């Protein structure tokens, strides 16, 4: 027997009117939530954006699904048909809510992680894992609402998951390595790092499979997370971004070292205060350390704001120190060697040895 047997045309028209009204309400809610989302985007607070997006994601589907449920009741369908309709609409509602919640929770996780790691952070791995977990739970609840037992499914997923884990052990190793790296806060996007394997650059992103770093030549190097976590690395942004810059130099033995130190400190102070990237409150230091073959070696210690600033600071410091040494008459020694030759033999002895002896 047909599901709509016995349904009057008046009820069909009423159900159609209900659906039209529901669609109209959905369109109006779509427009209103669009304005709400635009207004929330103008503020600096991230949480109102997430709330406005949640309302926008739910408003139109819930209005349509609610209208469909009211229309089904207006039609006064048979009990079995009405029960099936209720299950289908409930499953659809659960799916819609799961999608919206997955987007919301992933956004919350991303906002919290960004607040802890800085505006340059890109923690897509946490957002993706959260989205997959919420969607998986939503699908299981949806299947349960349809009357499908999920116990056999969970068992099959367990066995299948073991097989997948064995087949994708490298991928899973990269996944857990990436989670460990981010959770331990050893590195964060934006840090400048150098690996024991030779790769170095700014961390761009850490996703579920690999870590991307941008080199100083603006190239991207992609490193699997498992290899990345096993490498010995130096993080030039920890414990702070500013760092010491050591520059080696030397002066002649005849130089007045007190005067040399005074000149170097003055030049270092000028560079730190005038060149972008210098730490103005830091005091330049000079440390003499070596009696070398050609002169006395020393180290100049400056401070830079971050790793990339050292090249500009060193460039300006070498130019200015060279010019100042020339003005002060301070000699920068060249490599020199003193050669000591053996003394010439006695000339008289040489002459005697040259005179022939008379014959007997």
């Amino acid at each position: 027997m047909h599901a709509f047997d016995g349904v009057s045309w008046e009820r069909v028209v009423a159900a159609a009117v209900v659906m039209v009204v529901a669609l109209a309400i959905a369109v109006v809610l779509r427009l209103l939530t669009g304005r709400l989302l635009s207004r929330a985007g103008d503020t600096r607070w991230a949480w109102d954006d997430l709330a406005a997006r949640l309302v926008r994601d739910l408003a139109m589907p819930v209005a349509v699904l609610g209208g469909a449920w009211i229309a089904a009741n207006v039609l006064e369908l048979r009990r079995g048909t009405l029960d099936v309709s209720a299950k289908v609409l409930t499953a659809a509602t659960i799916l819609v809510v799961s999608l919206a919640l997955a987007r919301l929770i992933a956004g919350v996780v991303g906002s919290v992680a960004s607040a802890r790691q800085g505006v340059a952070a890109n923690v897509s791995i946490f957002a993706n894992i959260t989205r997959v977990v919420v969607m998986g739970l939503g699908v299981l609840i949806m299947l349960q609402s349809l009357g499908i037992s999920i116990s056999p499914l969970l068992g099959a997923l367990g066995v299948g998951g073991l097989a997948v884990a064995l087949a994708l052990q490298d991928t899973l190793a990269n996944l857990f390595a990436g989670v460990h790296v981010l959770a331990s806060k050893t590195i964060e996007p934006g840090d400048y790092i150098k690996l024991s394997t030779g790769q170095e650059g700014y961390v761009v992103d850490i996703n579920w499979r690999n870590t991307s770093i941008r080199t100083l030549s603006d190239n991207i190097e992609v490193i699997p997370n498992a290899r990345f976590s096993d490498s010995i690395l130096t993080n030039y942004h920890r414990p702070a971004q500013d760092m010491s810059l050591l520059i080696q130099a030397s002066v002649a033995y005849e130089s007045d070292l007190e005067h040399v130190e005074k000149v170097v400190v003055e030049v270092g102070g000028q560079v730190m205060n005038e060149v972008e990237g210098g730490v103005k409150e830091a005091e330049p230091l000079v440390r003499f350390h070596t009696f070398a073959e050609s002169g006395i070696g020393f180290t100049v210690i400056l401070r830079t704001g971050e790793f990339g600033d050292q090249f500009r600071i060193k460039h300006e410091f070498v130019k200015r120190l060279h010019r100042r040494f020339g003005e002060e008459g301070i000699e920068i020694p060249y490599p020199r060697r003193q050669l000591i030759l053996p003394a010439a033999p006695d000339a008289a002895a040489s002459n005697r040895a040259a005179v022939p002896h008379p014959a007997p």
Side-chain angles (χ1 to χ4, degrees), residues 252 254-256 259-260 263 322-332:
E254 297 79 10
S255 303
D256 181 355
H259 182 56
V260 170
V263 170
H322 180 266
R323 182 172 63 248
R324 184 68 182 276
F325 273 4
E327 295 173 354
E328 298 289 337
I330 299 174
E331 180 183 353
I332 300 176

Side-chain angles (χ1 to χ4, degrees), residues 252-254 293-295 331 333-338:
Y253 277 101
E254 297 79 10
E293 293 182 353
S294 304
E331 180 183 353
Y334 298 97
R336 294 180 295 183
R337 291 183 182 274
Q338 182 179 3

Side-chain angles (χ1 to χ4, degrees), residues 25-348:
I25 293 175
V27 172
V28 172
L29 290 177
R30 185 74 173 180
L31 295 175
L32 293 177
T33 53
R35 291 187 177 183
L36 178 64
L37 184 61
S38 177
R39 191 67 69 85
D42 296 335
T43 65
R44 300 179 59 183
W45 197 43
W47 298 99
D48 57 348
D49 295 347
L50 297 174
R53 189 171 296 278
L54 176 65
V55 174
R56 181 180 175 84
D57 291 340
L58 290 177
M60 188 172 181
V62 169
V64 174
L65 291 172
W69 173 246
I70 295 174
N73 283 275
V74 169
L75 288 173
E76 293 185 353
L77 301 175
R78 296 179 179 276
R79 175 57 57 185
T81 304
L82 189 61
D83 291 342
V84 172
S85 301
K87 288 183 178 181
V88 172
L89 293 175
T90 301
T93 303
I94 293 174
L95 183 61
V96 168
V97 173
S98 299
L99 289 171
L101 288 179
R103 191 171 184 175
L104 172 67
I105 297 175
V108 170
V109 171
S111 298
V112 172
S114 298
R116 293 184 60 188
Q117 299 184 5
V119 295
N122 186 355
V123 286
S124 58
I125 183 171
F126 286 140
N128 290 336
I129 291 175
T130 303
R131 188 177 291 110
V132 169
V133 170
V134 175
M135 280 303 303
L137 293 175
V139 169
L140 292 177
I141 296 174
M142 182 189 69
L143 294 176
Q144 188 72 27
S145 68
L146 290 174
I148 301 174
S149 178
I150 62 174
S151 298
L153 180 61
L154 292 176
L157 288 176
V159 176
L162 179 60
V164 170
L166 293 175
L168 301 177
Q169 53 183 337
D170 292 339
T171 300
L172 293 177
N174 290 326
L175 171 62
F176 291 115
V179 173
H180 171 71
V181 167
L182 281 175
S184 63
K185 297 181 70 68
T186 305
I187 62 168
E188 297 171 358
D191 289 353
Y192 190 94
I193 62 171
K194 182 176 182 180
L195 302 180
S196 59
T197 52
Q199 294 86 359
E200 62 178 297
Y202 291 94
V203 178
V204 177
D205 183 33
I206 305 174
N207 57 37
W208 65 274
R209 180 174 174 78
N210 51 56
T211 298
S212 302
I213 62 175
R214 177 175 56 84
T215 64
L216 293 177
S217 58
D218 277 338
N219 296 319
I220 296 295
E221 293 186 353
V222 179
I223 306 169
N225 288 333
R227 295 184 181 179
F228 186 84
S229 62
D230 289 339
S231 300
I232 300 174
L233 66 87
T234 302
N235 191 338
Y236 291 94
H237 281 194
R238 294 290 179 272
Q241 288 192 10
D242 59 314
M243 55 175 286
S244 295
L245 172 61
L246 278 61
I247 304 175
Q248 305 298 326
S250 63
V251 293
Y253 277 101
E254 297 79 10
S255 303
D256 181 355
L257 297 187
E258 294 293 339
H259 182 56
V260 170
E261 181 177 3
K262 179 181 178 182
V263 170
V264 173
V265 170
E266 288 179 359
V267 174
Q270 292 173 0
V271 171
M272 300 285 284
N273 283 277
E274 298 174 5
V275 179
E276 181 184 357
V279 180
K280 297 182 179 180
E281 61 271 15
E283 180 181 357
L285 299 176
V286 178
R287 294 294 181 262
F288 296 98
H289 54 72
T290 305
F291 290 101
E293 293 182 353
S294 304
I296 298 177
F298 62 93
T299 300
V300 183
I301 305 174
L302 306 176
R303 298 289 293 182
T304 62
E306 66 105 19
F307 183 87
D309 296 330
Q310 64 172 313
F311 306 103
R312 187 186 308 109
I313 297 295
K314 185 184 296 185
H315 170 77
E316 287 296 329
F317 178 78
V318 170
K319 288 197 308 181
R320 297 189 186 193
L321 186 63
H322 180 266
R323 182 172 63 248
R324 184 68 182 276
F325 273 4
E327 295 173 354
E328 298 289 337
I330 299 174
E331 180 183 353
I332 300 176
Y334 298 97
R336 294 180 295 183
R337 291 183 182 274
Q338 182 179 3
L339 302 179
I340 302 176
L341 301 176
D346 184 63

